Amino acid sequence: DLSFPPAVLHPLPAALYLPNKFLFTLITVITQSNNMAEEIKRLAPQAVWGYFYDLTQIPRPTGHTKQVTEYLKAFGAKHGLETHQDEVGNVLIRKPATPGYEGRKAVVLQAHVDMVPQKNACVAHDFLTDPIDAYIDGEWVTARDTTLGADNGMGVALAMAALTDDTLKHGPLEALFTIDEEVGMDGAVALKPGFLQGSILINGDSEEEGRLFVGCAGGVDMNISFHYRQDEPAPEGHVVLRITLTGLKGGHSGVDIHLGRANANKLLFRFLKQAVSHCGLRLATVEGGSLRNAIPREAVAVVTVPADRVADVEKLISEHQALYRSEYKGIEGEISFTAERIADVPASLVPEEIQDDLINAIEGCQNGVISMLHDFPGTVESSSNLAKVKTEAGGRIDIKILVRSSSESRREALYSSLESIFSLAGAKVEYFNPYGGWQPNIDSPILRTMESTYESLFGRKPEVTVMHAGLECGIIQEAYPDMDMISFGPDIKHPHSPDEAVGIASVEKTWRLLKATLEAIPEK
């Protein structure tokens, strides 16, 4: 509010006045932000978009979901709905059946509350404190230089809208909001039998309108580490360079893995192998990628090079930039591969034998699509994502790989293959957070209900398929083996990357399908 009473309009010290240009910019930004919030909230269906916008204003990266779960508990209390929270932090809200629908099967609407925190290097955004700057871009809602959080904020918003819409006709309804799905599916893993009462689960974490998902891949995290003594100084006469690879699209390592996008770690180490061999380059530090389930978009290495070979390294970088742009033309944008001289000399280099073993192992590491499903053409069966490579204090290099597969035997075979590569290189290999896949049930009653409902609404049959990305359905089914499950959602492109966007028209269709499905749920 920029209207001040006369009493406060007294002279201030000159140093406290804001420059007119800055003040105008500040007012413009605030005004545009408020206008955009109102524009998003006016989109149809307004309840869904209103709740979704509220979620964009709540910081909720994985591991930091207390604020959003408190918001959901307050939401339940405000609307007089039975609300519970389990020991790990999952929130459950129940809504009684519409009069006359008490005999229908009880339905659980399920979504996860956390989001993937990814941003472009050009923006100073703190995911622990800053709201998402969401805006409308044509037929999509997206965010400025960060992930949007439609994965899975849109699923949460759909469930919230169902809980508060008194025009809906439905049987007993539950909404389960799980925590920390994006890293270890911790909320789903900790879910105990008896917490839920429903016999049907509708998961809202899918990202293609017009497709119904009845299965998903399982996965396992590989944690790999090289250890060494930090007692090797940079050689005399070496120049220190920071080598930076940026401009890649990245994306979801399950949903987008089939697109053939570049992996920043693979590209960087492909260059390092040649630079070590031809230019005498030595590695000091490296940091590529950030999250296990995001395709790495950026990678940085600090290296030393003999002073008389700097020009050769710079030429090699320029050649690799041109090569990468050519190889990924039409897949990636403008890949940037640069080197800059820095003054700070590293205290220690990675020992030469460890450096060579690391580079060779990364070069040999399988990455991307490994096998495809025969029963669902065009769907990935197995994949590997070389998600993160980073030097840590104390003489350690950590590597994280996420292995996914719809086949348990193929997942084990892929894991074993990767383990062999890094073990031969002298690294320590461990695995964590294994989770099983969700096996398809083509005879699912809720599938038949949603298929017929979709066709009656939109005049065509939906596609029924399985997802290569992990969903919580398979894990929840371990605690509730008799629960009938399906997954659906609006169009969300490029989740787990700053290009994430949700299709406006697809949200309206998804909401219509959810309402009609709830009304069509059969008697117990």
Side-chain angles (χ1 to χ4, degrees), residues 329-343:
K329 184 178 181 180
I331 299 175
E332 297 288 351
E334 196 76 352
I335 297 175
S336 174
F337 198 26
T338 61
E340 61 174 327
R341 298 193 186 198
I342 58 176

Side-chain angles (χ1 to χ4, degrees), residues 418-431:
L418 294 168
E419 179 187 38
S420 297
I421 292 171
F422 285 97
S423 293
L424 286 170
K428 180 181 179 181
V429 182
E430 301 174 294
Y431 74 93

Side-chain angles (χ1 to χ4, degrees), residues 5 71 102 132 135 139 207 218 318 323 421 436 493:
Y71 162 78
E102 294 87 353
I132 299 298
Y135 68 99
E139 300 302 315
E207 290 143 0
S318 179
L323 179 65
I421 292 171
K493 62 181 182 180

Side-chain angles (χ1 to χ4, degrees), residues 80-253:
L81 299 172
E82 181 183 346
T83 303
H84 303 273
Q85 186 170 31
D86 66 10
E87 295 175 358
V88 73
N90 299 317
V91 174
L92 179 66
I93 301 177
R94 292 194 175 103
K95 181 182 181 183
T98 304
Y101 284 72
E102 294 87 353
R104 303 292 180 97
K105 292 181 179 179
V107 173
V108 180
L109 304 179
Q110 188 265 320
H112 65 84
V113 299
D114 57 316
M115 65 172 286
V116 168
Q118 289 278 281
K119 65 184 182 70
N120 289 324
C122 64
V123 63
H125 183 94
D126 187 341
F127 283 98
L128 295 180
T129 58
D130 298 342
I132 299 298
D133 187 6
Y135 68 99
I136 298 172
D137 182 13
E139 300 302 315
W140 300 83
V141 171
T142 188
R144 299 184 201 281
D145 293 306
T146 72
T147 38
L148 173 65
D151 174 14
N152 186 217
M154 191 51 70
V156 174
L158 285 163
M160 293 175 70
L163 289 171
T164 54
D165 190 333
D166 292 333
T167 68
L168 287 183
K169 297 177 181 179
H170 56 81
L173 191 61
E174 295 179 309
L176 173 64
F177 304 105
T178 50
I179 66 161
D180 298 349
E181 185 267 356
E182 297 291 3
V183 172
M185 298 197 178
D186 294 350
V189 169
L191 196 64
K192 293 182 179 179
F195 190 57
L196 304 177
Q197 297 175 358
S199 60
I200 298 171
L201 185 138
I202 301 177
N203 170 277
D205 196 16
S206 296
E207 290 143 0
E208 294 177 82
E209 193 281 319
R211 305 182 85 186
L212 302 177
F213 292 87
V214 295
C216 72
V220 62
D221 292 325
M222 296 184 66
N223 288 358
I224 301 162
S225 57
F226 287 86
H227 297 262
Y228 57 93
R229 295 181 60 179
Q230 293 181 294
D231 57 2
E232 188 165 342
E236 292 290 331
H238 272 224
V239 172
V240 185
L241 299 177
R242 178 184 288 111
I243 298 172
T244 304
L245 177 67
T246 60
L248 304 184
K249 292 181 178 178
H252 192 299
S253 68

